[in-house]
């Protein structure tokens, strides 16, 4: 809604808020001009001191001792006393603005400061020489030989550095190598180096590997390797003399969820208006009503609105067990169920002619007919001849003197649909009585409630971190497609956030995000003095705004410090935990001028899986581009799709998974001489699922002779690797792949730069699942509802994607839709032909005599 210009100086930070975008840009530009004019004046008045600066610069460049970042030059210059040197080392000095006369009077060595091309040429030559000088060092580092990209990442050290890595490309090894290299070069003391990880296990692993590389005991390691949480706690304890009082739920994996559930329950019981809104959100608004024009096509829209796609037709279920034809009709049906209103859907009515009427809703108590017309405010419809059809229905009801009222899509758009419905029912004295909360929660799919709890948890973090207000949330709600749902959710999540904050205040405790925010304040105010000159951050794609603020505060407080961040934006899958991918993808905008490197060689997946997965995730143009190369050659047809028949509308993935594992165990046992050695007697298999309700093992994976099986969710699999993976239920659906409920537009209420690519995070999550395996991936899918992602993989990898039965028999893939199988069918005359089993979505047919060879 507005912009802020922030000015940080020694010991103070000033913020000028409530500016328009143009005013903020103008102010920032004016400040830069003013500061540089002042700096140039200081340089001009002390030209006699510049020869000392010249000596310092020559010491750096002629010795070819180190890579030169802008801050390295600034540090060398700052060692010279006087105002001119201070001006030359100022972080806001802009060489492009130096007056020509002043520039011409500077010694030749000053070109390193005033001409970026000179420094760039020096650094390129330096990197080439270091490759040769440190060849043996990098040939055996962290028990491996580094790739050229890893070596370059260790050598380069700009003010800010982002290493964009691929899955399985040696990110952690590169961090170990970076520390070893800068210590070997004596660029930093060990106690000046800080490494930050997102969890304790990752920090412990990094600490162990660095200590082993440096050949010191872990408890003697002087570099600090820690988590963001431990760092924040340590900063507060050092300044205040005691550790922060953390809420008793923060260390429990499900602690926050339970607190949120308790707050909601308390509000439901104590606040009738909250209870009304909460029930309406859960029952009437389980999914956003988004117009068809937003989607890529009718098929994509149909996938979104439907609950199932059984037998080839989309169905939209309601809580009253009625199948309706649109999300707006579902909204009406669910509202009627919530308020205990008896109705019949599309009841047949005789209008006195040869044709019968089928009104959308019929209320037997008053024999009232209710039509919901897909008409806009002008009475028009995107459907051909629909307006005439609606008018004919109106006339028929009048002709037969049938009590009738209508609602329209226009009312859904202007948020008057449900109020109109209620007033029409009340006018007819039809009882409207809301069901109890217990009845509602008993009838709802638990995943709907879980989805909203997760949304609230995510939004709560962003609201508190960004100091959002209810007015801001309601203003943003006006920009979403389903405005009524968005406003309702905004009011609810605001009340829950207030309750959460009160709970912290009443207990005089803080949560992790508050702790990090408090640590940031202590750093920015100068009460905490940072000893760190080099800050390395692991898994930077998971960074959140509070954590990014802590890194920035540490860097900005200590002069000439640097940041080296490592991560993979393709694996950014923790938006629900508060992470913001744009901090990664817009790294330079967030941290300043930077070098950006790549790690494109993977040591995990074979080339087929690596290349296919890379092309798949990069269909989102917002993802940073990389070309992935594997040290493992491609394994032909190592991506396999196994369609499972549905029984009672739900395929039994647990049974299919067990049969597949038995088959895989037997097959590997038959070729054990090819893989079994003294290092391993079993190959590892990960069975992965999108939601935990799919766990086929109920927490107890089976035991086999030749394979070691583990099962967990896509999210928990991040960072793990196996020989084979089995992905369960790679099918369309609300809780399928991609999950249609996760990419909820409600997140745009709190995320300042929302992603515009459809199911962006779901695509990254599937990429994570795909890239856990080195030898092969098996995808089990509902035969009637194969995921759109399977089709994309077929488009990318062609015949290298094999369709087969659980037993391994090859299936005949449809050449038209790519995800169906050709099956034998009969014409009315009894003749046989082959057709796609995805009919009517795919109408491909061919003579039975056609034989396809792959």
């Amino acid at each position: 809604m507005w912009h802020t210009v922030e000015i940080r100086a020694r010991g103070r930070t000033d913020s000028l808020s409530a500016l328009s975008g143009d005013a903020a840009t103008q102010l920032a530009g004016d400040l830069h001009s003013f500061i540089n004019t002042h700096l140039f004046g200081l340089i001009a008045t002390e030209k006699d001191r510049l020869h000392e600066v010249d000596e310092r610069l020559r010491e750096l460049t002629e010795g070819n001792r180190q890579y030169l970042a802008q801050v390295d030059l600034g540090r060398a210059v700052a060692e010279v006393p006087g105002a001119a040197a201070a001006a030359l080392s100022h972080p806001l000095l802009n060489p492009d603005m130096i007056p020509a006369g002043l520039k011409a009077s500077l010694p030749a060595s000053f070109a390193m400061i005033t001409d970026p091309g000179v420094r760039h040429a020096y650094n390129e030559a330096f990197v080439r020489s270091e490759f040769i000088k440190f060849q043996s060092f990098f040939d055996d580092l962290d028990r491996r030989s580094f790739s050229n990209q890893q070596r370059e990442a260790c050598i380069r050290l700009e003010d800010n550095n982002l290493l964009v890595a691929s899955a399985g490309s040696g990110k952690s090894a590169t961090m170990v190598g970076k520390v070893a290299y800068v210590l070997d070069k004596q660029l930093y003391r060990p106690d000046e180096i800080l490494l930050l990880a997102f969890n304790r296990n990752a920090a412990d692993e990094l600490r162990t590997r660095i200590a082993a590389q440096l050949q010191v005991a872990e408890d003697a390691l002087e570099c600090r390797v820690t988590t963001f949480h431990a760092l924040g706690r340590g900063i507060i304890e050092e300044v205040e003399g005691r550790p922060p009082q953390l809420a008793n739920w923060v260390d429990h994996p499900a602690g926050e969820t339970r607190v949120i559930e308790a707050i909601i329950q308390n509000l439901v019981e104590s606040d009738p208006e909250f209870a009304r809104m909460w029930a309406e959100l859960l029952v009437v608004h389980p999914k956003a009503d988004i117009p068809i024009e937003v989607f890529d096509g009718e098929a994509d829209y149909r996938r979104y609105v439907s609950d199932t796609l059984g037998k080839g037709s989309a169905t939209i279920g309601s809580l009253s067990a009625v199948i309706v034809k649109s999300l707006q009709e579902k909204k009406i049906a669910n509202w009627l169920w919530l308020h205990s209103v008896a109705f019949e859907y599309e009841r047949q009515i005789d209008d006195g002619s040869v044709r019968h009427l089928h009104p959308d809703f019929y209320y037997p108590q008053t024999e009232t007919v209710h039509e919901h017309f897909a008409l806009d405010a002008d009475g028009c419809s995107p459907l051909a001849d629909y307006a005439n059809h609606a008018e004919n229905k109106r006339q028929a009801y009048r002709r037969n003197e049938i009590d009738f009222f209508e609602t329209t899509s226009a009312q859904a758009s202007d948020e008057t649909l449900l109020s109109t419905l209620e007033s029409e029912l009340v006018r007819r004295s039809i009882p409207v009585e809301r069901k109890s909360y217990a009845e509602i929660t008993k009838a709802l799919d638990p995943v709907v409630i879980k989805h909203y709890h997760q949304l609230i948890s995510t939004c709560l973090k962003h609201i508190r971190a960004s100091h959002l207000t209810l007015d801001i949330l309601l203003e943003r709600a006006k920009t979403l497609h389903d405005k009524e749902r968005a406003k309702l959710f905004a009011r609810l999540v605001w009340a829950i956030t207030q309750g959460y904050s009160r709970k912290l205040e009443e207990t005089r405790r803080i949560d992790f995000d508050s702790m990090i925010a408090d640590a940031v304040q202590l750093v920015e105010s100068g009460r905490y003095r940072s000893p760190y000159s080099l800050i390395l951050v692991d898994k930077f794609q998971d960074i959140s705004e509070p954590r990014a603020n802590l890194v920035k505060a540490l860097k900005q407080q200590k002069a000439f410090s640097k940041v080296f961040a490592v991560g993979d934006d393709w694996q950014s899958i923790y938006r629900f935990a508060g992470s913001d991918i744009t901090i990664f993808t817009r790294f330079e905008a967030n941290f300043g001028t930077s070098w950006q490197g790549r790690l494109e060689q993977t040591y995990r997946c074979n080339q087929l899986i690596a290349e296919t997965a890379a092309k798949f995730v990069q269909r989102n143009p917002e993802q940073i581009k990389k070309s992935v190369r594997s040290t493992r050659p491609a394994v032909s047809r190592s991506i396999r799709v196994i369609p499972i028949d549905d029984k009672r509308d739900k395929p039994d993935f647990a049974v299919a998974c067990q049969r597949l594992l038995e088959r895989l165990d037997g097959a590997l046992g038959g070729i054990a001489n090819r893989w079994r050695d003294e290092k391993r007697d079993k190959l590892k298999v990960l069975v992965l699922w999108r939601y935990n309700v799919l766990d086929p093992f109920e927490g107890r994976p089976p035991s086999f002779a030749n394979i070691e099986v583990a099962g967990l969710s896509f999210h928990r699999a991040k960072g793990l690797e196996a020989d084979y993976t089995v992905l369960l239920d790679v099918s369309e659906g609300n809780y399928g792949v991609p999950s249609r409920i996760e990419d909820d537009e409600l997140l745009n209420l709190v995320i300042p730069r929302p992603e515009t690519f459809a199911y962006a995070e779901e695509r990254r999550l599937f990429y994570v699942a795909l890239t856990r395996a080195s030898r092969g991936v098996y995808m089990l899918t509902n035969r009637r509802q194969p995921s759109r992602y399977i089709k994309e993989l077929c488009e990318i990898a062609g015949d290298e994607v094999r369709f087969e039965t659980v037993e391994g028999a090859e299936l005949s893939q449809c050449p038209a839709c790519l995800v169906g199988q050709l099956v034998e069918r009969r014409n009315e005359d009894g003749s046989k032909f082959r057709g796609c089993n995805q009919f009517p979505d795919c109408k491909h047919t061919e003579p039975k005599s056609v034989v396809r060879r792959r």
Side-chain angles (χ1 to χ4, degrees), residues 525-669:
S525 67
R527 294 179 65 193
Y528 173 82
R529 303 304 299 174
S530 172
Y532 306 116
S533 297
L534 177 60
I535 304 168
L536 299 96
V537 188
D538 189 21
K539 293 183 173 58
F540 193 75
Q541 75 275 356
D542 297 332
I543 197 81
S544 62
E545 185 177 353
R547 289 167 177 78
N549 288 339
L550 181 55
V551 175
K552 289 178 189 176
L554 290 169
K555 181 180 185 298
Q556 290 167 348
Q557 189 211 71
K558 183 160 189 188
F560 315 120
S561 57
K562 299 182 181 182
V563 169
F564 180 78
V566 182
D568 181 4
D569 65 301
W570 297 358
Q571 297 188 70
S572 177
I573 58 172
Y574 289 115
R575 183 170 58 177
F576 67 84
S579 70
D580 182 352
I581 190 176
T582 62
I583 298 173
F584 185 108
T585 56
R586 303 180 188 182
F587 181 79
E588 189 159 300
N590 281 287
F591 285 86
T593 304
S594 62
W595 171 77
Q596 189 178 111
R598 298 283 191 277
L599 289 186
E600 297 173 310
Q601 180 169 288
T602 178
Y603 300 90
R604 181 189 303 151
C605 309
N606 72 64
Q607 183 61 31
L608 173 64
I609 296 175
E611 189 175 328
T612 302
K615 289 179 179 177
F616 167 80
V617 78
Q618 288 180 103
R619 286 194 165 188
N620 177 356
E622 292 299 312
Q623 303 293 166
I624 297 174
K625 299 302 179 187
K626 297 194 292 284
S627 299
V628 181
R629 305 177 303 277
S630 177
T631 56
R632 299 171 180 265
V635 177
S636 181
R637 312 195 77 182
S638 51
I639 302 173
R640 304 195 172 202
V641 179
I642 302 176
I644 308 299
D645 286 322
D646 53 339
K647 296 177 181 177
R648 299 190 184 93
D649 297 327
K650 185 70 177 176
D652 196 332
F653 289 107
V655 171
C657 178
Q658 180 67 26
R659 286 164 57 192
L660 175 61
L661 292 173
E662 290 170 356
R663 167 192 150 200
L664 186 58
D665 180 64
L668 291 172

Side-chain angles (χ1 to χ4, degrees), residues 16 77 768:
L16 301 170
V77 173
V768 167

